[in-house]
Amino acid sequence: MNVYNHEIINNESIKKYPIVSAKKAQTLSCNLLKGDILFTPSSETPEDIGHSVVIFEDLINAVYSYHIMRFRPNTKINILYSHYFCNNQLVLNQFTKYATGSTRFTISVKTFSEIKVLIPPLPEQQRIAEILSTWDEAISLIKNSIKNLKARNKGLAIQLFSNKKRNHIQLSKVLIRVKNSLTPEPQKKYRQIGIRSHAKGIFYKEEVTGLSLGNKSVFHIEPDCFILNIVFAWEHAIAKTTINESGMIASHRFPMYKPLGNILDLDYLLYFFKSKKGKNLLNLASPGGAGRNKTLGQSEFLKLQIPVPDLKEQKYIAQVLETADQELKSYETKLETLQLQKKGLMQQLLTGKIRVNVK
């Protein structure tokens, strides 16, 4: 996974990994030298062939998997430049193109040697590496900020929902099941929704005809409801419906509930079940083994008791958590923008479309 994650490999980075006997792990032990490049020559998909890492320091008696192929450059290459050009999409596309296999794909040493890369003069290599490393530094800072914000938001939710003095109310007392069933017309087209796990919200499926739905039990979506996937509720497959889903449908696996507005705020309810405490309750109401055998019992769900402060406090809690979420999303957008910028730069700089002037 060090290779697939394109990690910087040096003596410090590998200390955190435990040493396993070569006999047990079927590994190779040798001296890896600064500048060596490790590639993945096989994988279950052709797209995963050719991923690489560069060794940034001499590693004595290093152990690496026999699934990895080592190459040593026979010409002078800036070590940081080699880190970038090996993971350039143009190079990876060549590996994908030449991969052979069916259930498992591989590429031969001979074919590896025929992969073409652009190696400009050393000063230009160094300048390209400096430019791309600037983006990497910015990306790293944003990633650290995202990590810290996620930890902060998690702690904030625990703090806001942990008041033991609050009244706890059974969900059956404050939720109304919404069940707008329909009989699909054979020639009419319908769009179904799905719910991503890990509280990542609703997504839309491709349109299908009523005929293709067959005898499937489906329902119209109503806005402003709490909705969940009973098969993966334990994995946080929960969401809030909006006006955007009006006219769409969902199967019987996606029950919808509307909170009593004078007692329970919808956003508060959603944020509660997004929290660790809420997830634990969903897990309790989902008996069985992992995966599709761990289905939410809807009667058990309605028996759950959650903390319900007065409406003013509920709205305040939801607003605080929404503000925190928006800040996190803004950093995630920044990260996506920087990664796209870096990808574009790599495409230009590592293919020779743009040459760097070196004084």
Side-chain angles (χ1 to χ4, degrees):
M1 293 310 299
N2 306 91
V3 179
Y4 283 116
N5 292 333
H6 306 154
E7 296 177 8
I8 299 295
I9 304 296
N10 53 32
N11 283 287
E12 183 179 354
S13 68
I14 64 171
K15 287 180 181 178
K16 57 187 176 183
Y17 298 101
I19 301 222
V20 183
S21 72
K23 182 178 180 181
K24 180 179 178 182
Q26 291 184 286
T27 54
L28 299 174
S29 179
C30 64
N31 295 335
L32 289 171
L33 302 184
K34 181 178 179 180
D36 284 356
I37 306 173
L38 302 180
F39 286 93
T40 56
S42 65
S43 183
E44 293 178 356
T45 63
E47 292 78 18
D48 283 333
I49 291 177
H51 286 265
S52 66
V53 293
V54 178
I55 306 303
F56 277 74
E57 293 177 353
D58 290 349
L59 304 176
I60 308 304
N61 292 325
V63 178
Y64 64 92
S65 167
Y66 73 102
H67 288 297
I68 295 173
M69 190 181 292
R70 180 190 62 177
F71 282 82
R72 184 163 292 163
N74 58 10
T75 187
K76 288 186 178 182
I77 304 177
N78 178 280
I79 189 169
L80 193 54
Y81 178 82
S82 65
H83 167 72
Y84 289 118
F85 86 70
C86 287
N87 292 301
N88 176 27
Q89 195 59 51
L90 187 67
V91 175
L92 292 174
N93 288 344
Q94 293 182 69
F95 289 124
T96 301
K97 178 182 177 180
Y98 294 122
T100 59
S102 53
T103 56
R104 188 166 185 87
F105 295 85
T106 187
I107 190 169
S108 67
V109 175
K110 182 177 183 298
T111 306
F112 253 97
S113 301
E114 294 174 355
I115 299 297
K116 292 180 173 59
V117 296
L118 292 176
I119 308 295
L122 273 172
E124 189 174 351
Q125 292 180 36
Q126 182 175 350
R127 182 61 186 138
I128 289 172
E130 289 171 353
I131 292 171
L132 293 176
S133 64
T134 300
W135 258 258
D136 274 345
E137 289 171 7
I139 287 171
S140 180
L141 287 173
I142 294 294
K143 283 183 175 179
N144 285 334
S145 295
I146 288 173
K147 181 180 178 181
N148 293 334
L149 286 172
K150 284 182 176 179
R152 182 206 64 179
N153 291 4
K154 184 177 180 180
L156 191 60
I158 291 173
Q159 182 181 358
L160 290 171
F161 292 120
S162 64
N163 190 336
K164 295 181 180 179
K165 294 182 180 180
R166 292 192 180 116
N167 291 329
H168 283 63
I169 300 178
Q170 189 169 290
L171 289 176
S172 62
K173 308 293 184 184
V174 290
L175 291 182
I176 300 173
R177 175 74 186 273
V178 179
K179 192 173 181 180
N180 302 322
S181 58
L182 77 148
T183 302
E185 299 176 25
Q187 302 307 316
K188 187 175 179 179
K189 289 189 175 181
Y190 299 90
R191 173 159 286 179
Q192 299 181 85
I193 69 157
I195 304 177
R196 297 182 182 89
S197 295
H198 312 298
K200 292 185 178 179
I202 291 173
F203 66 93
Y204 308 142
K205 300 180 182 180
E206 293 294 328
E207 282 189 329
V208 296
T209 62
L211 183 63
S212 67
L213 292 171
N215 297 322
K216 188 176 182 180
S217 179
V218 293
F219 311 89
H220 276 300
I221 299 296
E222 183 171 321
D224 300 320
C225 289
F226 179 77
I227 189 170
L228 42 78
N229 182 340
I230 61 174
V231 180
F232 294 106
W234 61 276
E235 202 176 48
H236 250 168
I238 60 174
K240 179 181 79 170
T241 61
T242 68
I243 195 69
N244 295 330
E245 290 79 53
S246 293
M248 298 185 187
I249 63 173
S251 77
H252 65 282
R253 295 182 300 134
F254 299 83
M256 293 181 293
Y257 300 91
K258 190 174 285 288
L260 296 177
N262 59 338
I263 302 176
L264 183 61
D265 180 74
L266 176 58
D267 290 322
Y268 172 84
L269 176 68
L270 181 64
Y271 275 112
F272 173 78
F273 277 112
K274 280 185 176 181
S275 71
K276 182 179 179 181
K277 187 174 182 180
K279 185 179 180 182
N280 289 340
L281 288 179
L282 291 171
N283 195 49
L284 287 174
S286 305
R292 295 185 179 275
N293 295 322
K294 195 172 174 63
T295 302
L296 179 81
Q298 295 182 54
S299 60
E300 294 303 312
F301 170 70
L302 290 173
K303 290 178 184 177
L304 296 176
Q305 294 193 3
I306 69 168
V308 181
D310 62 64
L311 270 175
K312 184 178 180 180
E313 186 176 356
Q314 289 180 46
K315 291 181 182 296
Y316 170 76
I317 290 172
Q319 184 178 10
V320 169
L321 294 175
E322 183 179 2
T323 301
D325 267 358
Q326 290 302 320
E327 185 179 7
L328 174 60
K329 288 176 182 177
S330 71
Y331 274 85
E332 290 173 337
T333 300
K334 290 178 184 177
L335 176 62
E336 185 178 351
T337 300
L338 285 172
Q339 289 173 331
L340 285 173
Q341 289 175 346
K342 180 191 169 186
K343 184 178 179 180
L345 271 175
M346 289 180 70
Q347 183 68 16
Q348 297 292 319
L349 296 173
L350 300 176
T351 60
K353 290 182 179 179
I354 292 180
R355 299 300 298 270
V356 176
N357 292 323
V358 181
K359 294 181 180 181

